[in-house]
Every structure is written in C-alpha cells, then in structure tokens.
Amino acid sequence: MKKKTTILLTAGILFVSANLYLALKDDSKAVRSSYINKWATVGKESLTETLQASGVVTPKDEHYIYYNEVSGEFKSFLVKEGDKIDSSTTLFEYSSDNIDEDLAELEAERSQLVRESTLIEEQIQQLLYLQSVSISSSNNSAPVFGDGSSGSDSSDLLLVSIEKEIYDKQLEKSRVKAEIDKYDDLIDAYDGSDELGRSSEVAGTVKKINYELKNPIITIISDIPKVEGVFTEQDLKNVEEGMEVYIKSDLFKGTVGGTLTKIAEYPETDPSVKNESRYPFEIELEQDQNQDPIVKGTHVDVDVVINQVVNASTVPEKSVKKGKKNSYIYVLNEKGVVEERKIKKGLTEGDKVEVKKGAKFGEIVMKNPDKIQQVNSPFFNRLNIELLKKKTFKEEGKRTIFKHIMVGFFK
C-alpha cells in the first residue's frame, strides 16, 4: 500500500513539475496554445434572403353587373349587399314586352351550344380511335431507319400529342356543358309570365348594389383573397414577377405562401421630383383548406424571397473574422492545431453565414476568433468529467489510453 502511494505521489509531482516547466518556459507551447470553450460544426442548411414589405388583403376579382333598359322594365333585386352567391344565383328580375323573342334567343343560343358539344364529342371519339390504332401499330412493329435507329420515339410523341388533344377537348366539352346548364336554368326560370331574371356568372359576395339603377348596378367580389401593396424605388431592383412570397399576420397561424404576380410599371401617384415613387404590386395566394380564414381588408407582413441557397455550408456569423480584404474562419483540425482559413462568404440569414469556399460540412470551427493565442498552434478545451466513466475507458483500450496520457503529458 505504501509502495503504491509513493509511486502515485511521485508521478503526480513529476506531472505538476513538468507542466509548470512547460508553462513558464520561454516560447512555451503551453503559452501559445489556445483555450477553446466554444466551438461549432460547419452545418448544411438552406438559407433564404427576403425583402420585407407591407400589404393588405383584398378580393382577387371584382365583377360588375350591368342593366340594359332596352331589355325590359326593372322589377326588383333578389339579393342584398353582403349575400354570398353561387354562379347561378338570380340577382334581379325584370319584365319584357318581347318575352317571346327573348326566350327564342335563349333557346337558339342553347341549341348552338348543344351542336357545339356534339361536334366536340365526335372529335373526341375520332381521337380515341386514332389513339387505339397508334398504340396497336407501335406494339406490332417499330420502323428501322437506314442508320439502324428505331422509330419508336416518333410513335411515342404522336401518342402523347393525341392524349393531350383528347384532354383539351374534354375540358372544352365540360365548359360548353356548363354553359348549356346555365341556359337551361334561365329558360326554366320563365314561369309563363312576362318576367325574366339575370343570373350571376360567378360565385362570391355581393359587395354593392346601386338601387338607383346606375351601372354597374351590382358589384360582386370573389371569395378568393389576394394581397396588394407597394414597393419603393429601391425595392424595384431586387424584385420581379414570379418570385415566391410568404405573408404572415397576428390573425392567423404560421405563414401563407404565394406568388408575386404583378408589379406596376407606373407609380401609384403622379411622379414628383420631391417625393419617392411607390409602385403597386399584387400577390396571388396559395389555396390551403386547412389554413385559417384570411379576412379581407386586414394588413399583413410580406416577405418576398429574392435569393435562396439550398444545402449551403454554414457557420455562425460570429465565427467569421473580417480582415481588410478577406474573411477568415479558424478550423480546429484533426492535428490538434488551430488552422486559419480564408473563406468566400455567400448569403447571410439571421446569425448564419454561407461559406461558398474554404470550409467543409462537419468541420469544427471556433465560435470566438478573438480567443486565439496564435494561428497554427495547439488548442485545448475543458475536461468533460461526465466522460470519465469505466465504460469509456473499457471501450478505448489500454494502449489508446496510454497514448493519450503521454500526448497530454508531453504537449
């Protein structure tokens, strides 16, 4: 027991003495070593640069209903301001002395649409037949050209073209059918009297009714919202139509995406030398059934995405040291040395900086470059007591442990 105590005591004295000697020695490595207590890993993430603006929620579309006195005598409105209406809601009714002529005109227009629908259906059937023939031909044989290449590519293109044509015709047929249904409603609304009704062609909300019958006598706004705002002259050099946009407000959770669809080419007021011009813009919002309702007339914050980098190598902004001409980071490399790296900075978002050149994902960098004693010198950090467990020593092995002790003792 006494022998063990003597050995441990002697080793301790030697360790302390050696470290005191190394610390007090001129040009000692211990003096030149940097104590690192904060570091970060070069990450990989997407950075986004945005331009902030203000906006207000407005209806996407506004439709105007006009009344022609020649059509007949106005009877009454069948809707009120604030009413929500469908595309077939009857808005007002009027009487006509020429009711028979009006009905005949409606029926004639309906008949024309029916003929158009029949013609489209015949075209669809012809295209379906052509499609089946093309598929059969391409399966049975593939022409071979003089250079040995196959003609299968042209067959594929033909099939794709036919398929697209069928799709377009079916859409056109659906549109014509909706028109026929509308005329059916108008004709059915005639109850034998001399009164007719004017139906809405769009769904939305009745915004305004002019009871003096001055056109437009009814204004309908769509239920779909959009966002309007203005850009400054300085903003114009950074934005363009088609850019991605996010809006947020205290009135709904999260953000709502959209697209910058319109930027006016002329300012909202007459240009003046004394005042900065401001240019109106519009944003079309993405439809999300799970999103809280966006109340029209409310103000929102607008973030326009003017630059974005995906999977960028990033470091904390405070880890970057600015020189006279260049920027640097300090990498704690595998040799145990603080390595200075010149970097090329990219996008900055919050406290993160994109490193375009000079760092790799996963490398360790100093968070506070001002703590460096000397570049290309060793570094050390605080001992983590939690790692001093039996399990850790067993996993490392005796040889590795001895190696680490010697490195620590002599360095």
Side-chain angles (χ1 to χ4, degrees), residues 75-117:
K75 288 294 184 181
S76 63
F77 288 105
L78 300 179
V79 293
K80 303 187 298 295
E81 291 182 357
D83 282 356
K84 286 189 173 296
I85 60 172
D86 297 324
S87 59
S88 59
T89 300
T90 304
L91 302 172
F92 62 87
E93 60 182 359
Y94 62 96
S95 63
S96 173
D97 296 333
N98 303 316
I99 190 69
D100 292 336
E101 288 82 354
D102 291 341
L103 277 174
E105 185 177 345
L106 291 174
E107 289 173 346
E109 291 178 356
R110 182 187 181 282
S111 297
Q112 175 61 32
L113 288 169
V114 170
R115 287 194 292 274
E116 187 176 344
S117 176

Side-chain angles (χ1 to χ4, degrees), residues 11 108 176 224 229 263 316 372:
V176 172
I224 302 173
I263 302 174
I372 297 174

Side-chain angles (χ1 to χ4, degrees), residues 29-38 318-321 328-332 336-341 364-380:
K29 284 186 177 180
V31 174
R32 289 185 280 112
S33 296
S34 301
Y35 171 60
I36 310 296
N37 60 352
K38 292 182 179 178
K318 61 173 60 175
S319 68
V320 179
K321 187 173 183 178
Y328 301 89
I329 60 172
Y330 295 90
V331 178
L332 310 180
V337 173
V338 179
E339 178 185 351
E340 184 182 68
R341 296 260 189 93
I364 308 296
V365 298
M366 283 189 68
K367 266 192 172 181
N368 190 350
D370 294 334
K371 298 292 184 182
I372 297 174
Q373 295 295 328
Q374 186 173 323
V375 175
N376 294 326
S377 293
F379 65 87
F380 61 97

Side-chain angles (χ1 to χ4, degrees), residues 51-53 229-236 239-240 260 262-263 277-283 302 304:
L51 182 146
Q52 283 76 42
V230 290
F231 287 133
T232 65
E233 293 179 35
Q234 292 298 316
D235 292 339
L236 287 182
V239 296
E240 60 183 46
L260 186 60
K262 182 179 180 182
I263 302 174
S277 297
R278 297 164 67 84
Y279 297 81
F281 67 79
E282 291 183 5
I283 295 169
V302 176
V304 183

Side-chain angles (χ1 to χ4, degrees), residues 15 30 62 89 127 154 174 204 206 259 277-278 286 298 328 374:
F15 179 78
E62 209 167 75
T89 300
L127 287 166
S154 59
S174 299
V206 177
T259 304
S277 297
R278 297 164 67 84
E286 295 173 355
T298 58
Y328 301 89
Q374 186 173 323

